[in-house]
Amino acid sequence: MRLIFISLLALFMSLMLVASGNAYLMSLIGVRLGMANTPPTEIGWIMTFYSIGFVIGSIFAQRLLIRVGHIRAFSTLASLAAMAALLYPFAEDFWVWSLLRIIGGFSVAGLFIAIESWFSAVASDNNRATLFSLYTIAAYSAAASGQVILGHSSGLQISTAFIIAGLLLIAAVIPLSASRLQSPPLETAEFMSLQRLWRKSALGLFSAFCGGLLIGSFYALVPLYATLSDIATDQISTLMSISVMSAMLFAWPIGWLCDRITRSKVLTATALVAALAALGASLFGSDQFVLLILSTSLFMAMIAAIYSIAVAITNDLIRSEERVAASSTLMLSYGLGSIAGPLLGSMLLGSFAPGSLFLGFVVILLMLVVFTLFRQVQKPPVPIEEQEQFIPAMPETQVIAEFDPRTEDLPDTAIEELFPDEVVEAVQGVNETDQPVNSIVESESLTEETLEPLEGLAEQKSEHSFDIHEEAIQAQAEETSSQKR
C-alpha cells in the first residue's frame, strides 16, 4: 500500500498542476485578447482551435503513449504544452496563436489520457468509484485555483503571466518522473459510430453535444464577455473560480436526484434552471456583480451536469459491454459541441452587446428542453428501478472511458507490472536473507495479489541457483577423478 499511496499522491499532484495551468491559460488568453481589442470572431476561432486540438489529441495521443511509454510521452506532451504557453507573447498573430492553441489542446488531451490510464491501472473494483470521485474533486479544485491565479497575475507583464502558465504545466512532470510507476497496459479505444449511437440513445448523444456547446463556450468566452463588460481582471478571477467550484458542489445533489427520478425529467429541470440563470446573467453587469456571480455560478452548476446526465441516459439504454465504445462516441459528440460553441458565441459577441452570449445559451437550453420532451413522448424513459448508477463526470478533463466505475469486466493490473523494480528487489531479498516471501510482502505492505507472482519468481531463481550449484559439484567431481588417474 505504501507504493500505491505514493503513486496516487504523484498522480494527483500532476493532475492538479495540469488542470490549474490549463484553466489559468485559457482564461488568460481570453482576457488578454479582449484587452487588446481583438475582434470577438477572431478570439472565437483562436479558442476553437484548442477544442480542435483536444479532440485530435483524444483520438491520436493514445498511440503515442502505446509506442513510447507513458513517462516519455507525458514528459514530451507537458514540454510541448509549456513551450506553447511560453511562446504566446513572442508573436501576437492570429495564425501563430491558433497553431499554439492546437498544440496546447492536443498536448493537454494526451496528458489527461496518461494520468487517467495510470489511475485506471492503480484502481480496483473495490476502490474505482472512490478514486473517480477524488479525481473529479481534484480536477474541479485545480481548475478553480487556476482562475484564482488569474486574479493575482492581473498586474504582471504579459510575458510574466504566460510564464506562470508554462511553469505550472512543466511542473506536472516532476511528481510522476520522481515516482517508480511504469507504463500500464493501454489498448486502442473502442468506438461506436455516431449513427449507431443515435439509434440507441438520441437524447444522450444530443445532450452531450449541447453540453459541449455550453461548457466550451463558457470557458472560452465568459472571460472575454467579462472584459467587454468592463469587469476588472481580479473580479473575472472571482467570477470564474466560484462558478467552477459551484459545479463541483452541485454534482452530488443532481446525482442524488438522478438516481431517484426519471433522468429525462431531471435533464429537463436542469436545462430550465440553467436557462433562467443565463437569462439573469444577461441582465446583470459590473454594477450588479454579486447578482452576476450568483447567476453564472448557478448556470455553470447546471450545465456541468448535462454531460453526466447524457452518459447516464445512454448507459441505461445499452449493454454493459458497449459502454466503453459508447462513452468514446459521447466524448466525440461533446468535443464537436465544444468546437462549435466558441464560434457561435463569438459571433454573438461581435454583433451584439456582451449579454447576448448568455441569451445564446438560453436558446440552446430551450432547444434541449424541447428535444427532451419530444423524446419522452417518442420513446418512454427507462423505469427508475432499472436505471444504472449515476456518476458525475468532468468531460473537459476525463478522456478515457475505462476509468469510469460503471465500466464492468475490466481486469485489475498486477502490481508487478506497475512496480517491476520493487518486485525484483523483493525477490532478491528473499534469496539473500532466506526470509519467507510472506514476510517480505508484509514488510513492503504489498497486496495479497502480489504473493503468487513473487513466490513464482523466487522459486524460479532458487531452482536456477540449485541447478548451478549441482553443475559445479559435478564438474569438481570429474576434475578430481581425472587427477587420480
Side-chain angles (χ1 to χ4, degrees), residues 343-396:
L343 285 177
L344 298 175
S346 64
M347 293 178 185
L348 291 175
L349 289 174
S351 303
F352 305 102
S356 62
L357 175 66
F358 285 95
L359 293 178
F361 292 154
V362 172
V363 173
I364 295 172
L365 289 162
L366 291 179
M367 289 174 57
L368 178 59
V369 170
V370 171
F371 187 78
T372 303
L373 295 175
F374 169 74
R375 290 296 297 179
Q376 284 180 334
V377 175
Q378 190 180 43
K379 186 175 183 179
V382 175
I384 299 174
E385 59 273 9
E386 297 180 13
Q387 292 180 165
E388 296 289 335
Q389 180 186 8
F390 179 88
I391 302 292
M394 189 178 181
E396 56 269 28

Side-chain angles (χ1 to χ4, degrees), residues 260-273:
R260 289 159 178 81
I261 302 175
T262 304
R263 281 167 180 168
S264 56
K265 294 181 180 179
V266 178
L267 178 61
T268 302
T270 300
L272 286 174
V273 173

Side-chain angles (χ1 to χ4, degrees), residues 105-118:
F106 179 90
S107 302
V108 169
L111 291 173
F112 284 132
I113 289 175
I115 293 173
E116 289 175 29
S117 58
W118 263 314

Side-chain angles (χ1 to χ4, degrees), residues 109-146:
L111 291 173
F112 284 132
I113 289 175
I115 293 173
E116 289 175 29
S117 58
W118 263 314
F119 269 113
S120 182
V122 172
S124 63
D125 291 337
N126 296 328
N127 61 16
R128 189 177 300 273
T130 302
L131 280 180
F132 191 86
S133 300
L134 292 175
Y135 179 97
T136 304
I137 293 172
Y140 272 122
S141 301
S145 66

Side-chain angles (χ1 to χ4, degrees), residues 2 15 40 74 96 124 141 200 237 253 347 357 366 400 472 479:
R2 175 180 59 86
L15 166 67
F74 189 89
V96 173
S124 63
S141 301
K200 291 179 175 291
S237 169
M347 293 178 185
L357 175 66
L366 291 179
I400 65 173
E479 183 179 358

